[in-house]
Structures are given as structure tokens and as C-alpha cells.
Amino acid sequence: MIVWITGLSGAGKTTLCSALRDLLKPRLPELVILDGDIVRAAFGHNLGYSETDRILQVGRLQAMSKVLAEQGLVVIVAVLYGNADLLDWNRTNLDDYFEVYLHASLDTVIARDTKALYAQARDGKMGNVVGMDIEWHEPVNPDMVLDADNRRSPVEMAREVAMAVPRLRVALPDFTVEAGGE
């Protein structure tokens, strides 16, 4: 199974994935995380941040997640860039696919700006920033939308994702058949 988490830079994708891993990994050892930044680094940063390079990066994540899921792993992907064609490809080609849109307004991610990307883009020191000079393509048909403008805890949001996905729900520490299991 593949859980694909997308949202703007600073929305909390990596934080949500870490919370999911911490919550589920003890009872779901086949869980793996593919984070876009980590995968980019693993390939030696040989892609830039242009829209074309971002599409190639998503292609890497799609291919890797497909290979891992076909081996029985539960793959959680954190990825910034996406457009309707890429997300449609996922639905057509990735079995047991669940898409989570971590919705954060541009104002929220600019206020957080943990990587100083938006400030550098605003000051003309950096280009190719999604939401600024590269269009952000909001997912049109995600399976779940989480409000990242709301300051809920990552663990709370991770539990909400896990409860929505049967394969993850059974790995929750307090899951029992009596509590609504299958």
C-alpha cells in the first residue's frame, strides 16, 4: 500500500511522516518512509528545482514506491510537487493508493518558512519555489484533506490518517476489534 502525502513546503509533510512512523512502526515493521528531500539527497542532488526537475523527482518517488509496495511494504511518501497528471498516474498505476493533501495556505507556510525558501524567493535570491514562481497544483481529488493551518499536533494528525486507512488502523497501539476493528 502507498500513502502519498502532498502539500506546500512547510505544510508539515515530513513531520507528519515522522509521527506516522513513530506511531505505527512498532506494530507495522514493513512501514517505510520516502521523503522527497531525503530521496533527492540519496541520488546526489543531481536534479535542480525547476518544474521539469520536480517532475523527474516525483517520477523517482513513484517508481520507488511502486517497487517497494510490490514487495509487500507499506510506503508513506512525502512529496511537495504534484499536478493532476502525476496524481492521476498514481491512481492508475499504484495499487492500494491513498492520497493525503496537507493543506496549508501560502500565508501559513510563509510565516513558518523553516527553510527560508519563501523569504529568499520574495527577495529575489532564489527561484523555482513552488507557490511563488512555480505554480502550486492543489490536488483535486485527494482521499483525505488535513488542515495544516490549524495547529493540531503531528501525532493527532497521524492518528487521523491511520484511522482512515484500514491497513494502518490495525497497527495503532490501542487498536482492538471491539474498538471498531475488522
Side-chain angles (χ1 to χ4, degrees):
M1 116 142 289
I2 298 168
V3 177
W4 193 270
I5 300 173
T6 191
L8 285 167
S9 182
K13 298 176 301 295
T14 298
T15 303
L16 177 57
C17 285
S18 295
L20 280 163
R21 181 198 58 231
D22 294 347
L23 184 65
L24 301 172
K25 186 75 172 177
R27 295 183 62 191
L28 193 65
E30 65 272 22
L31 178 79
V32 295
I33 305 290
L34 291 178
D35 184 280
D37 289 338
I38 294 169
V39 170
R40 182 181 290 275
F43 278 86
H45 292 285
N46 64 347
L47 291 176
Y49 294 91
S50 69
E51 193 159 9
T52 300
D53 285 347
R54 289 178 184 281
I55 290 169
L56 291 171
Q57 172 69 359
V58 171
R60 286 178 177 172
L61 292 163
Q62 288 169 322
M64 291 175 70
S65 62
K66 183 172 177 63
V67 166
L68 293 171
E70 287 173 349
Q71 295 178 54
L73 298 177
V74 175
V75 184
I76 300 177
V77 182
V79 59
L80 163 62
Y81 185 78
N83 63 36
D85 292 338
L86 295 169
L87 297 175
D88 285 346
W89 187 94
N90 288 357
R91 289 204 183 276
T92 302
N93 296 284
L94 302 176
D95 293 333
D96 205 6
Y97 174 78
F98 189 86
E99 185 178 298
V100 178
Y101 174 29
L102 196 52
H103 178 270
S105 68
L106 193 55
D107 288 340
T108 295
V109 296
I110 287 172
R112 291 179 188 164
D113 206 8
T114 55
K115 299 177 185 176
L117 299 174
Y118 298 106
Q120 291 179 61
R122 184 188 59 236
D123 296 341
K125 296 178 182 173
M126 174 184 282
N128 295 322
V129 176
V130 176
M132 301 291 277
D133 57 340
I134 292 179
E135 182 181 357
W136 166 243
H137 302 278
E138 187 170 72
V140 293
N141 193 26
D143 298 297
M144 172 179 265
V145 177
L146 293 174
D147 179 6
D149 289 335
N150 177 335
R151 280 297 198 178
R152 293 179 14 208
S153 77
V155 172
E156 187 179 4
M157 289 194 298
R159 287 190 66 76
E160 189 173 338
V161 171
M163 288 300 293
V165 180
R167 178 107 184 249
L168 303 181
R169 184 174 49 231
V170 298
L172 286 169
D174 54 358
F175 177 83
T176 62
V177 174
E178 296 80 33
E182 299 167 338

